[in-house]
Amino acid sequence: MCGIVGYIGPKQASTFLIDGLSKLEYRGYDSAGIAVHDGNQITIEKTIGRLANLEKKLDKHQLQGSLGIGHTRWATHGRPSDVNSHPHSDCTGNFVVVHNGIIENYMYLKEQLIAKGHIFTSETDTEVVAHLLEEHYDGDFEVAVKKVLDDISGSYALVFMTKFEPGKIICTKQDNPLVIGLGEGENFIASDIPAIINHTRRTYILSDGEMAVVTKDSVWVTNRQGVPITKKVFEVHWDAEAAEKGGYEHFMSKEIYEQPKAVRETMTSRLAKDNSHVTFEELKWSKGEMAAITKVMIVACGTAYHAGIVGKYYIESLARIPVEVDVASEFRYRSPLVDENTLAIVISQSGETLDTLAALKEAKRLGAKTMAITNVVGSSISREADQVVYTWAGPEIAVASTKAYTTQLISMAMLAIYMAGLRETITAERSQELISGLRNVPAQIHEILEDVEPIKTFAQQYGFNEDVFFIGRSLDYAVALEGALKLKEISYIHAEAYAAGELKHGTLALITEGVPVIALATQHDVYEKTLSNIKEVKARDAVVIGIAQQGDDQIKKYVDHTIFIPAADKFLAPILAVIPLQLLSYYAAVTRGCDVDKPRNLAKSVTVE
Ligand code: F6R
């Protein structure tokens, strides 16, 4: 949530700041602003709305100077408005700050500062930081920043600038990401790598509690007590184009179409050539350790949580270990029963989701073994977990997660086969069957993506309905949950996912003539039961779109329209069945004229609780 950038060097800072913010808009787009130091004074330009609004303002009023910071906001404290936009400054305008996160004790600090005569202009928590800096500055910028950090509590990535020291920027972080890009005679600061990758591939990834004093020629990192820290340079390997739209109208469609590649890359080095087993070189478990695990807890948010539900089916069926799946924001507050024989698996595309990170820390504190499935190398979650499995999906920019989800499912399937192998709960034949099935998945996704016209037509036909239901049983129910979330978040259509057998316990009352019901029927072992549930909604005159496996010659008799996915093992069908649902929500959002990549009220990386 919120994207922050900073620049110090010989060039015009505003050029980098605007370009950098454009790569971080996925983190929030309620407002945007920059502050630039021209050698004498700092000038701020900021405005409500998208970055384009700020650019328009800057066309009329260029900010000159080679030192600057910028921000794109996802509003938490204070509604989106010009005054609540960052950067924020103190009473004098001599101290300026941008912030991602939440200052939890800001109300108390604000009251104290007001009592001392400080005048506040915004409703934000961030503004207290600028006033505290003013309060503490006594000729030494670093000392003042340290005092501010002693005063505040909460989560933050902060970047500070002062009129009095035009040769440096100071930045620090706690539970929110911050990267420093190392240039030649210039340095860059950003919340995420896409903002700096066009300028440098050499980075320092700051850890919690670290503070960096950045000049154009140096980056000096210490802890809060001032003890120097030697940072390792982290080289970014992915290519800059991966974070561009590459001819697609939206990042979301590009990312949907990247799924065959993303899935293949996540699998290849992990499947034995003869399909006999899965190897995870990064996991260091012995048979004994795996046998000792008595419980798995999967914790995640949103789409990643839905991948966790599929993971539960996989691990319980194959590795025969009981699995609980928790929404991360609930996990910490329910006194979970965790011990040293518990394996806590967190799933997070960004590796920065605060609730998931906090749940991971809590599971660790309670003694669990921990593991992360994440897409971002060097992310906070990857650094906190005992072991990490990376999904190799490449950068996911659209707010709605697509390729990260399918690579999470692939990772869960591989992990379950791997665990089952170590626990000897899977036969060689079943293992081989599943692994060869996994190898087919990229081509099968490609096949679905080759024929999107019928899905587009359904989206155009039903895209203006206000309610849509998704039903399914077993693994189809898990996919239904993801389909409903996708539709809600990008097309703003109210969508509900129901375990098909549960409808008759209340929700069936909402099924009336013409209500679209997307019925997933890909699971052979519950197929007849699903057909019965389809009949129940048809009897209430719902319009049913069935999602079924190729070769199913019954389904058409029961539904109004059918979308077929290539025939696959029931375990792997979810990875295919979700693709038409992603496309359906994408085309529904396009039909309704929604901002597909940046849906209202949302942001890509949720680093607040
Ligand atoms: C929905 C979506 C979100 C994320 C959730 C967790 O399309 O993207 O529900 O899945 O915010 O994010 P990560 O995976 O980064 O922890």
Side-chain angles (χ1 to χ4, degrees):
M1 322 245 87
C2 302
I4 57 187
V5 285
Y7 175 81
I8 183 160
K11 302 177 190 144
Q12 287 298 332
S14 60
T15 311
F16 167 75
L17 298 177
I18 295 298
D19 182 58
L21 289 178
S22 74
K23 306 289 176 356
L24 296 181
E25 255 198 312
Y26 71 88
R27 299 181 65 85
Y29 31 84
D30 287 329
S31 64
I34 62 171
V36 174
H37 199 313
D38 66 5
N40 292 313
Q41 60 174 19
I42 298 172
T43 311
I44 297 176
E45 199 64 78
K46 57 187 186 176
T47 180
I48 186 173
R50 302 285 162 94
L51 186 62
N53 295 0
L54 178 67
E55 286 179 275
K56 265 188 220 141
K57 265 188 145 180
L58 289 169
D59 280 347
K60 291 187 202 126
H61 178 215
Q62 295 283 334
L63 298 190
Q64 305 292 327
S66 53
L67 170 77
I69 60 180
H71 190 270
T72 176
R73 178 169 188 246
W74 184 78
T76 56
H77 291 62
R79 70 203 151 79
S81 69
D82 285 351
V83 283
N84 288 337
S85 309
H86 296 218
H88 287 286
S89 63
D90 66 313
C91 305
T92 60
N94 294 335
F95 301 93
V96 178
V97 63
V98 288
H99 169 219
N100 169 28
I102 292 177
I103 308 297
E104 281 166 6
N105 57 344
Y106 87 101
M107 280 303 284
Y108 165 77
L109 294 167
K110 190 167 176 175
E111 277 163 24
Q112 285 198 327
L113 287 160
I114 288 171
K116 285 184 179 164
H118 288 261
I119 296 174
F120 280 76
T121 52
S122 79
E123 302 158 287
T124 66
D125 52 338
T126 307
E127 196 183 341
V128 295
V129 177
H131 291 275
L132 284 171
L133 203 49
E134 176 188 5
E135 192 66 27
H136 289 308
Y137 187 76
D138 196 10
D140 189 325
F141 190 17
E142 283 156 67
V143 170
V145 169
K146 281 190 195 126
K147 287 185 178 163
V148 172
L149 300 180
D150 288 342
D151 288 342
I152 60 174
S153 60
S155 67
Y156 46 79
L158 284 162
V159 186
F160 310 90
M161 213 166 75
T162 173
K163 164 184 163 172
F164 304 116
E165 303 193 27
K168 66 173 73 144
I169 298 180
I170 299 183
C171 57
T172 185
K173 69 148 258 168
Q174 183 66 43
D175 294 330
N176 282 272
L178 204 59
V179 180
I180 300 176
L182 309 169
E184 296 290 329
E186 60 183 349
N187 286 308
F188 311 87
I189 298 167
S191 298
D192 198 1
I193 287 165
I196 55 177
I197 193 160
N198 285 329
H199 305 272
T200 179
R201 287 169 180 277
R202 301 178 68 244
T203 64
Y204 286 156
I205 296 181
L206 282 197
S207 295
D208 283 350
E210 290 179 348
M211 178 173 136
V213 179
V214 184
T215 70
K216 68 184 181 48
D217 299 310
S218 67
V219 178
W220 175 246
V221 183
T222 63
N223 67 12
R224 297 245 173 86
Q225 289 68 46
V227 178
I229 292 170
T230 311
K231 295 290 291 179
K232 238 173 83 188
V233 173
F234 176 78
E235 290 270 355
V236 179
H237 291 298
W238 44 266
D239 97 59
E241 271 180 31
E244 305 287 343
K245 275 193 213 142
Y248 286 86
E249 200 180 335
H250 300 101
F251 277 112
M252 185 178 175
S253 52
K254 173 178 177 250
E255 288 160 8
I256 288 174
Y257 278 86
E258 280 173 347
Q259 288 180 110
K261 178 169 177 266
V263 159
R264 193 175 302 112
E265 292 193 350
T266 301
M267 285 191 307
T268 28
S269 64
R270 289 156 171 166
L271 304 183
K273 283 209 168 64
D274 62 358
N275 291 350
S276 61
H277 62 279
V278 170
T279 26
F280 279 104
E281 292 205 334
E282 56 276 61
L283 299 182
K284 312 271 175 282
W285 274 314
S286 65
K287 281 193 169 186
E289 282 169 316
M290 189 49 75
I293 293 172
T294 53
K295 177 160 74 170
V296 173
M297 287 179 137
I298 304 179
V299 188
C301 302
T303 287
Y305 168 74
H306 295 155
I309 296 175
V310 175
K312 173 183 163 79
Y313 280 84
Y314 288 166
I315 294 173
E316 288 189 338
S317 310
L318 299 179
R320 308 303 294 157
I321 314 175
V323 182
E324 289 175 20
V325 193
D326 272 84
V327 167
S329 53
E330 293 294 322
F331 177 78
R332 274 182 299 163
Y333 305 107
R334 70 164 178 99
S335 303
L337 295 172
V338 174
D339 61 24
E340 69 281 5
N341 295 323
T342 305
L343 170 64
I345 302 176
V346 297
I347 309 176
S348 174
Q349 184 284 127
S350 62
E352 299 296 344
T353 302
L354 192 77
D355 282 320
T356 310
L357 179 61
L360 170 61
K361 288 182 179 167
E362 178 65 1
K364 229 173 152 178
R365 191 186 68 78
L366 294 170
K369 296 177 176 59
T370 60
M371 195 193 125
I373 296 179
T374 182
N375 195 36
V376 180
V377 178
S379 57
S380 304
I381 285 175
S382 72
R383 281 177 289 145
E384 187 69 33
D386 301 332
Q387 316 218 30
V388 183
V389 166
Y390 285 108
T391 50
W392 298 115
E396 192 181 64
I397 309 290
V399 164
S401 186
T402 52
K403 61 177 179 169
Y405 174 74
T406 40
T407 57
Q408 286 161 356
L409 295 193
I410 287 283
S411 303
M412 288 306 318
M414 290 190 300
L415 187 67
I417 300 169
Y418 167 81
M419 291 168 87
L422 284 178
R423 290 170 67 90
E424 298 177 2
T425 51
I426 190 167
T427 62
E429 294 72 39
R430 182 66 179 133
S431 187
Q432 204 137 27
E433 197 173 64
L434 284 170
I435 295 173
S436 50
L438 279 169
R439 286 197 192 279
N440 293 336
V441 169
Q444 291 178 315
I445 297 179
H446 185 75
E447 195 182 322
I448 301 171
L449 295 173
E450 292 266 83
D451 186 20
V452 299
E453 279 312 311
I455 303 173
K456 204 169 169 177
T457 309
F458 297 145
Q460 284 160 353
Q461 214 167 334
Y462 301 109
F464 289 98
N465 278 69
E466 286 312 315
D467 297 290
V468 174
F469 290 83
F470 290 74
I471 60 170
R473 285 174 171 257
S474 176
L475 281 163
D476 280 337
Y477 169 52
V479 179
L481 288 166
E482 176 56 10
L485 177 62
K486 283 287 92 81
L487 193 66
K488 278 184 271 207
E489 70 173 321
I490 61 164
S491 70
Y492 316 145
I493 297 172
H494 169 239
E496 291 218 38
Y498 263 85
E502 184 66 12
L503 270 182
K504 55 186 169 294
H505 298 289
T507 310
L508 200 55
L510 292 174
I511 307 293
T512 52
E513 190 183 345
V515 169
V517 175
I518 319 270
L520 290 118
T522 74
Q523 299 291 302
H524 299 309
D525 46 357
V526 286
Y527 184 74
E528 294 300 329
K529 305 235 175 272
T530 308
L531 284 188
S532 305
N533 302 131
I534 292 174
K535 284 184 209 158
E536 284 164 13
V537 293
K538 271 309 295 168
R540 275 83 192 169
D541 294 323
V543 178
V544 182
I545 301 177
I547 313 259
Q549 298 214 18
Q550 263 158 21
D552 175 347
D553 43 20
Q554 279 200 68
I555 189 88
K556 284 194 165 169
K557 287 187 243 153
Y558 300 95
V559 301
D560 298 281
H561 312 284
T562 318
I563 298 170
F564 286 110
I565 58 165
D569 190 284
K570 68 169 187 165
F571 271 47
L572 307 179
I575 312 170
L576 305 176
V578 75
I579 311 289
L581 304 188
Q582 294 170 344
L583 289 162
L584 206 59
S585 51
Y586 172 74
Y587 288 118
V590 171
T591 303
R592 291 164 72 99
C594 300
D595 190 342
V596 175
D597 286 336
K598 296 184 192 122
R600 71 183 175 212
N601 306 339
L602 300 178
K604 183 72 182 161
S605 179
V606 186
T607 52
V608 293
E609 205 178 333

